[in-house]
Amino acid sequence: MLNFTIQNVLIASSDDYATVDVQVVDGKIAAISPNLQVIGTVIDGKNKLLLPGFFNAHTHSSEMWQRGIMSTFPLELWLAELYDFAPLDPEQVYLSALGTAVETLLSGGTSVVDHLVLIPGLELETIAIATRAYREVGIRAFIAPLIQDESLSAGIPSGESTQSHEPYFRSTAATLEIIEEAVRQFHRPDEGVSILVAPTGIQLCTDALFAGCIELSDRYNLCRHSHLLETKAQEKLAQEKYGCTAVEHLKRIGFLSNSTTLAHCVWLNDTDIAILAETQSTVVHNPLSNLRLGSGIAPILKYRQAGVNVTFGCDGASSNDSQDLLEAIKIGSILHNVTDSDYQHWITPRQAVEMASLGGAKGLNIADQLGSLTIGKQADLVLYDLTNLSLLPRTDPIGLLVLGRPSNVVDSAWVNGKQIVTNHQVTTINVDELRQELFNRSQWQTKRKSETVAQIEAHYRTVMDL
């Protein structure tokens, strides 16, 4: 359904709401006005709210297999435990990408940035499988293969001790070759799949890997994605490695740009914030994983006051245990009311919606194509059911959506004009079959601390003065 007309639907106006018709022609918004002539299929928009699709701007789809089981650890120990699990197989990659797409869609997201964990030795196959899953569902996918070239222990500050680290199993050059081949095979923005260069972060990547990613980004016009200063330990590590902040170093080597999105950004100082504003880099706020792992509260209000673009992500489903984008938007909005007593800086529901939609598009350098209900933009749209019990009684629709606890409120969703959610259900795949497969391929379990985690924990507690 690339040509359709949504009739009598509620949209946000500058400071109120308006009831209009919305025409979509060839997958793009063609007209927004009351009483339009019908083009294509008629969609009844009565008692519904139409918004641009949100961006789940940072997640790790394959972590779905560990959600609910990970220990209450800070990130560095949590990662050691995550690495302890049996490696993924291709079928798990496929099922978890499908699940991530479905949960994102049913919580208002039409785009997902998947910082995709790669199966060693099957890196291109991993990317191919995730690409297939996202294409089948129909969500707009930005696949950011997670790469590093240093071993896990290198991600913890040395402190006063001398640490030696095992070399990473794959060379920097080989890693960059994989990403370049992935771009050749799978980067198809016009078909809804984009490849990003995505070094995991300063904690596990050499400057050579960052330089290679910058070169690929420039040559193929790719966006850049990375974790940045998620924890206090990473802040200390940056000083050990570079003698300056991680943000100063990334600016020095040229990684920051208007096509760069940076997940977390919890431990930045005022100079760092000014650099992000200057380079037009985007912060992806992941409030739930930051709380779950005790990483801290990112200074989002400071970012916004400095002119830094901010959007939202769920993060992986084992550091958040959910892919509910509306939940991330709610917590990511109201969490900061306790960090700044000046309520004029607090994030309003309408601002949160703009951050989740246009903010995500800006970070991926496609704000001219997506992120708002604007004539000429691609029709990535979500229709919310305002008769749903969790959006009643009738007060402010966007306020209810952002500040409430909306459940099963997405009536319909379109990506590039193609309808992929109808009557509260993703219709492009068999969701019941997916649910059964996820159940059958997993089992109830508990997690016990391994010897590897115990060793890393001892060093971590010393370095962090615990």
Side-chain angles (χ1 to χ4, degrees):
M1 185 192 301
L2 299 181
N3 294 349
F4 57 93
T5 304
I6 306 175
Q7 292 186 316
N8 300 312
V9 71
L10 200 67
I11 65 169
S13 58
S14 57
D15 58 359
D16 199 0
Y17 294 92
T19 299
V20 299
D21 297 346
V22 176
Q23 282 180 355
V24 172
V25 178
D26 294 333
K28 293 186 176 180
I29 301 171
I32 302 173
S33 183
N35 305 314
L36 290 173
Q37 179 182 352
V38 170
I39 292 180
T41 305
V42 174
I43 306 292
D44 184 6
K46 186 178 180 182
N47 297 322
K48 296 181 175 71
L49 171 70
L50 186 69
L51 291 176
F54 299 148
F55 286 73
N56 185 356
H58 176 72
T59 190
H60 308 279
S61 62
S62 61
E63 285 182 15
M64 177 174 286
W65 295 97
Q66 289 83 38
R67 65 179 177 183
I69 193 175
M70 299 296 290
S71 298
T72 51
F73 277 151
L75 175 74
E76 286 73 21
L77 304 183
W78 174 91
L79 271 175
E81 184 172 271
L82 185 67
Y83 275 53
D84 244 14
F85 278 92
L88 294 166
D89 63 46
E91 183 66 10
Q92 286 177 306
V93 170
Y94 174 68
L95 293 172
S96 55
L98 290 179
T100 296
V102 168
E103 288 191 88
T104 296
L105 284 162
L106 294 180
S107 56
T110 53
S111 294
V112 60
V113 177
D114 188 354
H115 208 176
L116 182 66
V117 177
L118 305 177
I119 301 173
L122 297 174
E123 292 88 354
L124 287 170
E125 183 177 351
T126 306
I127 299 167
I129 291 166
T131 298
R132 175 165 66 92
Y134 289 132
R135 281 182 177 275
E136 287 179 9
V137 176
I139 198 169
R140 195 177 295 276
F142 298 84
I143 298 177
L146 188 151
I147 53 175
Q148 64 190 78
D149 60 352
E150 293 188 295
S151 59
L152 184 62
S153 60
I156 300 178
S158 297
E160 297 180 0
S161 63
T162 301
Q163 298 289 312
S164 59
H165 310 293
E166 291 290 324
Y168 195 62
F169 76 93
R170 187 176 57 229
S171 72
T172 304
T175 298
L176 292 168
E177 286 172 10
I178 288 168
I179 301 306
E180 185 167 14
E181 185 57 31
V183 173
R184 293 193 189 105
Q185 292 188 32
F186 308 114
H187 185 60
R188 303 288 185 273
D190 292 343
E191 299 173 16
V193 176
S194 300
I195 300 295
L196 280 58
V197 292
T200 186
I202 62 101
Q203 66 277 12
L204 295 175
C205 298
T206 65
D207 280 357
L209 185 60
F210 274 108
C213 286
I214 293 167
E215 194 277 328
L216 288 173
S217 169
D218 291 344
R219 186 164 15 127
Y220 293 104
N221 193 27
L222 307 174
C223 290
R224 308 168 186 179
H225 187 66
S226 186
H227 299 99
L228 179 62
L229 293 176
E230 185 172 354
T231 67
K232 184 70 173 174
Q234 290 175 8
E235 181 190 42
K236 291 181 114 178
L237 180 68
Q239 288 293 335
E240 282 187 1
K241 288 180 73 169
Y242 312 126
C244 63
T245 72
V247 175
E248 289 171 326
H249 186 72
L250 290 179
K251 180 190 177 185
R252 185 182 303 154
I253 64 176
F255 187 74
L256 304 179
S257 75
N258 64 351
S259 297
T260 302
T261 53
L262 303 161
H264 303 293
C265 296
V266 177
W267 294 93
L268 275 64
N269 62 33
D270 290 346
T271 300
D272 295 335
I273 294 170
I275 290 172
L276 293 190
E278 174 195 342
T279 57
Q280 300 179 59
S281 301
T282 289
V283 170
V284 183
H285 187 27
N286 302 272
L288 289 155
S289 62
N290 291 345
L291 292 171
R292 164 85 154 87
L293 302 176
S295 301
I297 299 176
I300 297 302
L301 301 184
K302 280 189 173 184
Y303 294 141
R304 286 173 50 79
Q305 291 170 61
V308 177
N309 183 48
V310 181
T311 190
F312 297 101
C314 288
D315 208 355
S318 63
S319 62
N320 169 353
D321 307 276
S322 166
Q323 290 296 291
D324 188 330
L325 191 50
L326 286 169
E327 181 182 45
I329 294 167
K330 174 179 178 174
I331 299 299
S333 302
I334 65 174
L335 176 64
H336 307 284
N337 297 0
V338 301
T339 67
D340 188 337
S341 60
D342 188 347
Y343 54 87
Q344 292 186 341
H345 297 152
W346 295 355
I347 298 168
T348 68
R350 286 187 178 229
Q351 289 170 338
V353 163
E354 184 175 10
M355 291 163 66
S357 51
L358 189 59
K362 285 179 179 178
L364 294 161
N365 209 17
I366 49 173
D368 60 330
Q369 303 170 46
L370 293 168
S372 63
L373 299 182
T374 303
I375 293 171
K377 287 194 176 184
Q378 295 173 17
D380 286 22
L381 308 172
V382 178
L383 197 61
Y384 295 92
D385 179 6
L386 298 179
T387 69
N388 183 284
L389 183 60
S390 62
L391 296 182
L392 291 172
R394 289 189 290 173
T395 54
D396 178 1
I398 290 178
L400 286 163
L401 188 69
V402 173
L403 298 176
R405 183 61 178 89
S407 175
N408 197 32
V409 294
V410 173
D411 176 89
S412 305
W414 296 262
V415 173
N416 203 26
K418 179 183 177 182
Q419 188 164 10
I420 55 180
V421 176
T422 305
N423 194 25
H424 305 275
Q425 300 290 326
V426 173
T427 52
T428 47
I429 64 168
N430 188 325
V431 177
D432 287 337
E433 191 175 283
L434 168 63
R435 188 183 299 117
Q436 191 63 52
E437 283 294 316
L438 287 168
F439 184 86
N440 291 342
R441 286 184 59 88
S442 56
Q443 59 184 357
W444 310 120
Q445 56 184 308
T446 56
K447 181 68 180 169
R448 290 176 173 82
K449 190 183 298 182
S450 71
E451 185 177 334
T452 302
V453 173
Q455 290 173 347
I456 292 177
E457 183 176 14
H459 174 64
Y460 175 87
R461 290 187 65 83
T462 299
V463 170
M464 300 305 294
D465 298 321
L466 297 174

